Amino acid sequence: MVLRLVISMKHNLYSMFAANPTSGGGLGFSPRNIDTSLVLWLLLLVLLLGRTVGNALFATSLNLFVANIAPSAATLGVFNGIQQLCTTFIRIIGLVLSGTLWGWSIKHSLVYPFNSHLAWVVCGLVTATAWRLPLRLPDSVNIYLPGKNQRNRR
C-alpha cells in the first residue's frame, strides 16, 4: 500500500513540478512549451515506466498476499473487496497529500527540506519506507501451509 501511495504522489506532483516557475522549485515550462519539450517528455516516459512496473509488481504481490491470507474460498471475495477499497483510499490520500505539500511548500519561503523540495523529500522517505516494510514480513506469509492450497479451500 505504501508503494501505491508513492506512485500516486509522484503522478500528481509531476504536472505541478513541470509548470511551476524555477523560482518556485519547478521546471518553469509554460503551457505552450510543455508540448514541445524533449526533456519533459523523457522525464514523463521515465516516470510512466516506473509507474507501470510499480503497479504491475504491486498488484501481483498484493493479490498473492490476499489469496494467501484468505481462510477459505468463500471469504476470498470479501478480502479482495477490502483490498480494492484500501488501494483506492491510498490513491486518494496520495493525491491530497502531494497537492497539499506542494502548495504549502511553494507558498512559504523556508529552508531545505521545507522549501519547494518538501513534497519530493516526503516521496523519497515514503519510498524508503515502502522498500523496508516488506523486509520485515515473516517468511510464513509467503508459504502455503499444509492443506491450504487452492483445491482444498472450501
Side-chain angles (χ1 to χ4, degrees):
M1 290 294 178
V2 179
L3 181 61
R4 176 66 76 174
L5 177 67
V6 172
I7 291 170
S8 178
M9 287 178 69
K10 288 181 182 177
H11 179 69
N12 191 38
L13 284 173
Y14 186 75
S15 58
M16 294 183 284
F17 178 62
N20 203 39
T22 53
S23 61
L27 294 176
F29 287 101
S30 68
R32 184 179 302 163
N33 293 342
I34 286 178
D35 290 341
T36 60
S37 171
L38 179 63
V39 173
L40 191 62
W41 281 105
L42 289 175
L43 288 172
L44 182 62
L45 285 174
V46 169
L47 179 68
L48 288 176
L49 178 66
R51 179 182 178 192
T52 303
V53 170
N55 279 337
L57 293 174
F58 167 77
T60 304
S61 62
L62 189 59
N63 286 336
L64 289 172
F65 281 132
V66 167
N68 219 7
I69 64 168
S72 69
T75 59
L76 188 57
V78 173
F79 278 82
N80 281 332
I82 292 170
Q83 168 205 342
Q84 290 296 323
L85 177 71
C86 292
T87 301
T88 303
F89 184 66
I90 290 295
R91 291 176 75 183
I92 292 169
I93 289 174
L95 291 173
V96 170
L97 180 64
S98 62
T100 303
L101 283 175
W102 181 268
W104 184 85
S105 67
I106 63 172
K107 185 178 178 183
H108 299 89
S109 299
L110 300 173
V111 297
Y112 181 83
F114 301 106
N115 58 2
S116 60
H117 299 100
L118 178 63
W120 297 105
V121 170
V122 170
C123 270
L125 292 173
V126 173
T127 302
T129 303
W131 176 75
R132 292 288 297 160
L133 283 177
L135 299 176
R136 302 177 114 199
L137 288 173
D139 290 336
S140 63
V141 298
N142 207 17
I143 299 172
Y144 279 120
L145 297 175
K148 195 176 176 185
N149 60 26
Q150 292 294 335
R151 291 186 187 148
N152 293 337
R153 288 187 183 196
R154 300 206 197 301

